[in-house]
Amino acid sequence: MDTTATVKALTDAEHTALVLVAHAQPGALGEAARAVAELADIGIDGTHLAINAAMPDTETSEPLAVAIRAREQHAIADIPPVLRTLVTIQIPLNPANMVGVPALRSLLATAGGQPVSTNYTTATGDMAATWPGLSALVDELSQANHGLVMCMGKGGVGKTTVAAAIAQALAARGKDVHLTTTDPAGHFDEAMAGCGLTVSRIDPDQAVREYRERVMATKGAALDEPGRAVLAEDLMSPCTEEIAVFERFADAVAQSDTRIVVMDTAPTGHTILLMDAAGSYHREMVRHLSEGEQAITPLLRLQDADTTRVIVVVLPETTPVLEAEQLAADLVRADIHPWAWVVNQSLAAAHPATGLLAMRAAAEPPLIQRVAQQTSQLAVVPMLAQEPATQPLSAFGDEPR
């Protein structure tokens, strides 16, 4: 493999087109902006931005559709400056999930920024009569005064929102709650700190900086200048970030001995790496134990179903469900068993009566049923006219009990 030729091709705008794809949401567009900036730093320039699954302006009879379009257009109007230079196209939301060759061909046939068909069928049937909401999970979580609650899933499924709603509901019930995130792009509204919560973020840059300073001040203090230079160079290794972030993660996990820690994790890939680090740390600790000694490592805490509740967050669409199933399988192989699944942004649970959203809602129940077969603890959160951000459970149409 000719690495030089590969780099040359990727950095040559005449031969390589870099298309960023994002939903019309502030968080997704912010992620796209970060990607453009980071790629530009290594000489790869973005060329196009595809805003996918945007609500078309033809949907005017369904209030939920009107509200979704309004907030999407607001997000597009406030698009980060770095994205404004890209050639931008909007791909409209279609009645069916874009899975399979026929669906993809229909996507390519989309013209004029509108879905292929506007001849929608109204969804029928009682689609959400038996689906519990988030308050059912909070009811059980509130029975304990300490423990770890981890929200996991792929990017864009709403882990941050779900984690914040659960943490706020537990704090409202008088629990001592620490809400934190391991997602490098994650953040919580500052107002959350006024809800009786301790709020924090595991910032990789800050964690690495403080870890390097600590090592240089301790281990490096006994070294001569050449030795300190070698140590400083060693601390520039990518492994340093893994160690530094894992330390912060382990500290947060340890707090679950005395309070409830609600953790919004990074998207699936980063989380699996974190679980792998927990396993490596556990094996190294066990290797150095004397006979009869025991150590409670972060991995053992994660494997303890009595004190750790893993919540898999998923969207009611084919690909997110498949990816969530793979995440659950990876966790089970590490002897970490999901406690509950949350289906987020469900149109079926929102009961749209007409149009495109009703068509999409009609396709959700089989997927939600598939998720229900994975767990005895299911919660379904409806698609909302306004993004819930860090609002209480009542904002989810799910009054606390």
Side-chain angles (χ1 to χ4, degrees):
M1 177 178 172
D2 188 344
T3 305
T4 302
T6 300
V7 172
K8 183 178 179 181
L10 290 174
T11 55
D12 185 349
E14 293 187 4
H15 293 84
T16 299
L18 176 62
V19 182
L20 282 297
V21 183
H23 284 158
Q25 300 167 351
L29 292 171
E31 281 290 287
R34 278 187 285 273
V36 167
E38 290 173 3
L39 288 167
D41 287 342
I42 58 175
I44 302 175
D45 294 321
T47 58
H48 294 72
L49 171 67
I51 299 177
N52 195 23
M55 184 65 64
D57 59 9
T58 54
E59 294 296 297
T60 58
S61 61
E62 173 61 54
L64 179 58
V66 173
I68 291 173
R69 176 170 171 78
R71 75 186 189 212
E72 287 180 348
Q73 292 306 306
H74 185 268
I76 292 171
D78 287 343
I79 197 168
V82 72
L83 299 179
R84 295 183 184 276
T85 60
L86 306 184
V87 177
T88 301
I89 60 172
Q90 290 189 37
I91 302 171
L93 181 67
N94 274 275
N97 288 328
M98 294 293 102
V99 178
V101 173
L104 294 175
R105 283 177 176 158
S106 74
L107 181 65
L108 293 173
T110 299
Q114 301 300 337
V116 174
S117 171
T118 55
N119 183 22
Y120 308 128
T121 302
T122 300
T124 59
D126 189 0
M127 294 184 291
T130 61
W131 296 333
L134 281 181
S135 62
L137 303 185
V138 174
D139 285 342
E140 184 160 345
L141 293 171
S142 64
Q143 294 178 20
N145 291 318
H146 65 90
L148 177 65
V149 181
M150 300 185 72
C151 293
M152 297 187 181
K154 72 184 291 286
V157 298
K159 298 183 301 297
T160 302
T161 299
V162 171
I166 290 173
Q168 189 171 351
L170 289 170
R173 300 186 186 198
K175 304 298 179 180
D176 180 9
V177 182
H178 178 191
L179 174 63
T180 188
T181 179
T182 66
D183 188 346
H187 67 278
F188 296 110
D189 194 306
E190 293 180 359
M192 291 295 293
C195 299
L197 299 169
T198 299
V199 179
S200 70
R201 172 175 176 259
I202 299 177
D203 183 335
D205 293 337
Q206 181 182 1
V208 169
R209 183 172 61 254
E210 293 179 356
Y211 177 81
R212 287 172 177 156
E213 291 173 353
R214 186 173 74 251
V215 173
M216 292 300 295
T218 53
K219 184 177 179 180
L223 300 177
D224 56 19
E225 283 307 310
R228 286 177 59 83
V230 171
L231 178 60
E233 182 178 355
D234 185 57
L235 288 172
M236 299 304 294
S237 164
C239 295
T240 299
E241 179 173 333
E242 294 181 17
I243 295 169
V245 171
F246 177 74
E247 277 192 353
R248 293 291 184 87
F249 168 75
D251 288 343
V253 170
Q255 289 186 37
S256 65
D257 278 346
T258 57
R259 67 198 311 191
I260 297 177
V261 176
V262 180
M263 186 174 292
D264 162 41
T265 66
T268 300
H270 293 85
T271 299
I272 293 300
L273 289 175
L274 199 57
M275 298 302 100
D276 184 61
S280 298
Y281 179 81
H282 173 79
R283 290 188 291 274
E284 188 68 13
M285 286 288 294
V286 170
R287 191 167 68 87
H288 289 90
L289 290 176
S290 302
E291 185 175 352
E293 278 190 306
Q294 290 185 331
I296 304 300
T297 66
L299 179 63
L300 290 179
R301 295 177 190 271
L302 297 177
Q303 292 172 335
D304 185 353
D306 290 333
T307 58
T308 296
R309 305 294 178 90
V310 173
I311 299 174
V312 177
V313 184
V314 65
L315 298 179
E317 299 174 10
T318 303
T319 299
V321 168
L322 291 173
E323 291 176 338
E325 288 175 346
Q326 183 59 59
L327 167 62
D330 290 339
L331 291 171
V332 169
R333 279 194 289 273
D335 200 22
I336 301 170
H337 297 269
W339 170 69
W341 287 56
V342 172
V343 178
N344 197 23
Q345 300 177 24
S346 169
L347 287 168
H351 302 289
T354 60
L356 184 154
L357 294 188
M359 277 287 287
R360 292 190 66 90
E364 289 184 1
L367 290 168
I368 296 175
Q369 183 57 36
R370 178 169 176 165
V371 170
Q373 293 171 356
Q374 306 280 334
T375 180
S376 60
Q377 298 277 4
L378 173 69
V380 180
V381 177
M383 176 72 77
L384 303 174
Q386 299 296 325
E387 293 192 63
T390 55
Q391 298 176 34
L393 288 188
S394 57
F396 293 81
D398 188 22
E399 294 290 346
R401 297 183 183 129

